[in-house]
Amino acid sequence: MSASSPPWTSQVPAHIGIIMDGNGRWAQKRKQLRTQGHLEGLKSAKRIVKAASDLGVRYLTLYVFSTENWKRTTEEVGFIMGLVKQYLRGELDFYRQNRIRIRHTGDPAGLPADIVKELHEAAEETRLFEGLQVILALNYGGRDEIIRAFRRLSGTGVSAGTVTEEALGQCLDNPDIPDPDLIIRSAGEYRISNFLLWEGAYSEYYFSDKLWPDWTGDDLAAAIADYQQRERRFGGLKNE
Ligand code: IPE
Ligand code: IPE
Ligand code: MG
C-alpha cells in the first residue's frame, strides 16, 4: 500500500460475520414465547442481508444455529429448523432480484435431511449469482469445523507432522472465502460462542447491546463505520 492511499479499513469490510443473539430475551421482555423472538430474528436477518447487499459487502456469514444449540428444547430446535426451511424456500425471488448467492458452513451430517436438501437446492439455484454471498452457519461450531478440516486433510494422505496452516485452511468448509474482516455480536454478550475460531484470528470485533430482532440497516452501517476507524496491524507495526 502506498503512503498516499487510504488506510485499508476505510473500505467496507469484504466479509462480515454476525452472531445474531438475543431473540429469546427480546420475546421474554414482551412476555411472549421464545419462538416469537426467533420469528422476529428472521425478519431482522432479512433486513440485514438487504442492507449488506446495498452497502457492497461481499460475504456475510450469519450464525443461525450452533453445534451447542441442540441442547435447547425439541420445540425450540424444531421451530428454528422450520424457519430456516421457510427462509430458504420463500426468498428465492429476493435472492434472484439481488443476485445473492446462498452457501452453508457447518456439518450437514448432523442436520435433518429436509434441511440439507433445501440448503443444497438454494445453493444450486443461486450458484452463479455474483452479488453478496450469504453463508448460513447451521449446525456450525468453530472447533467442529477445524476437526472436520483435519479429517479431510488426513484423507489426502498428508502426515500430521507436515500439516501447514495453508493446507488445513484449504480443508475448511469454504476455503475460497476470505477471513471475516469484522465480526459483530448483538445482545450484550462478550464472547465468541464457538463462531469462526480459525477464520476470526485477526477479525475486528464489534459488540452491541441491542437485541437481534431490533437490528436495522442503520445498526449495520454503524458497525461498519466503527470498523472503519480501526487500525489493523496483523501483528505488524503501525502504518505511518
Ligand atoms: C440467538 O438468540 C438465536 C440462536 C441461538 C438460535 P437466542 O435464542 O440465543 O436468544 P437469547 O440469547 O436467549 O436471548
Ligand atoms: C450463539 O448464541 C449461537 C447463535 C447465535 C446461533 P448462543 O445464545 O447459543 O450463545 P451462548 O449460549 O450465549 O454462548
Ligand atoms: Mg443467546
Side-chain angles (χ1 to χ4, degrees):
M1 188 166 77
S2 77
S4 58
S5 63
W8 196 87
T9 50
S10 71
Q11 296 171 11
V12 169
H15 183 179
I16 300 179
I18 308 186
I19 303 171
M20 308 182 292
D21 196 20
N23 293 349
R25 276 165 282 173
W26 185 94
Q28 276 155 357
K29 255 174 54 180
R30 290 165 177 75
K31 309 231 178 307
Q32 293 174 2
L33 295 173
R34 291 180 56 83
T35 47
Q36 191 60 32
H38 294 309
L39 198 58
E40 292 302 319
L42 174 64
K43 292 182 194 163
S44 197
K46 289 185 196 173
R47 285 196 293 272
I48 298 305
V49 167
K50 180 73 171 76
S53 170
D54 291 347
L55 287 162
V57 175
R58 302 290 307 135
Y59 305 90
L60 180 69
T61 300
L62 298 176
Y63 205 5
V64 179
F65 193 88
S66 74
T67 45
E68 287 72 41
N69 286 148
W70 298 105
K71 294 174 188 164
R72 300 188 180 197
T73 64
T74 317
E75 190 204 14
E76 184 168 344
V77 170
F79 189 87
I80 294 169
M81 292 299 157
L83 280 184
V84 169
K85 202 165 156 179
Q86 183 188 317
Y87 175 76
L88 288 168
R89 199 175 278 181
E91 298 297 309
L92 258 179
D93 281 346
F94 169 77
Y95 310 146
R96 260 191 220 110
Q97 274 157 21
N98 293 279
R99 314 293 295 168
I100 290 171
R101 180 173 169 192
I102 301 292
R103 301 178 68 170
H104 174 234
T105 182
D107 190 359
L111 284 168
D114 58 335
I115 299 286
V116 176
K117 184 166 169 279
E118 294 290 342
L119 274 172
H120 184 73
E121 282 177 10
E124 271 304 304
E125 298 258 4
T126 62
R127 192 169 53 92
L128 298 175
F129 293 164
E130 67 296 328
L132 172 69
Q133 298 195 20
V134 175
I135 303 102
L136 301 174
L138 191 58
N139 193 27
Y140 179 85
R143 288 184 174 183
D144 180 67
E145 187 190 15
I146 294 167
I147 285 176
R148 286 184 295 104
F150 195 77
R151 288 191 193 130
R152 279 183 202 124
L153 188 63
S154 313
T156 68
V158 169
S159 71
T162 59
V163 171
T164 61
E165 246 183 56
E166 286 70 26
L168 192 72
Q170 281 306 310
C171 291
L172 293 170
D173 287 348
N174 294 299
D176 61 302
I177 298 179
D179 287 343
D181 303 293
L182 171 65
I183 292 182
I184 295 170
R185 182 167 187 149
S186 62
E189 310 288 358
Y190 300 98
R191 58 176 169 264
I192 206 65
S193 301
N194 208 4
F195 187 51
L196 302 180
L197 297 183
W198 178 282
E199 300 88 336
Y202 267 102
S203 300
E204 297 294 326
Y205 285 87
Y206 179 87
F207 296 97
S208 155
D209 285 338
K210 202 180 249 197
L211 303 175
W212 179 249
D214 292 326
W215 269 62
T216 67
D218 287 346
D219 295 298
L220 183 70
I224 292 175
D226 189 274
Y227 165 86
Q228 288 171 331
Q229 302 305 312
R230 311 276 179 96
E231 186 192 73
R232 303 185 79 188
R233 288 189 294 277
F234 298 96
L237 299 175
K238 198 168 180 296
N239 185 14
E240 288 182 302

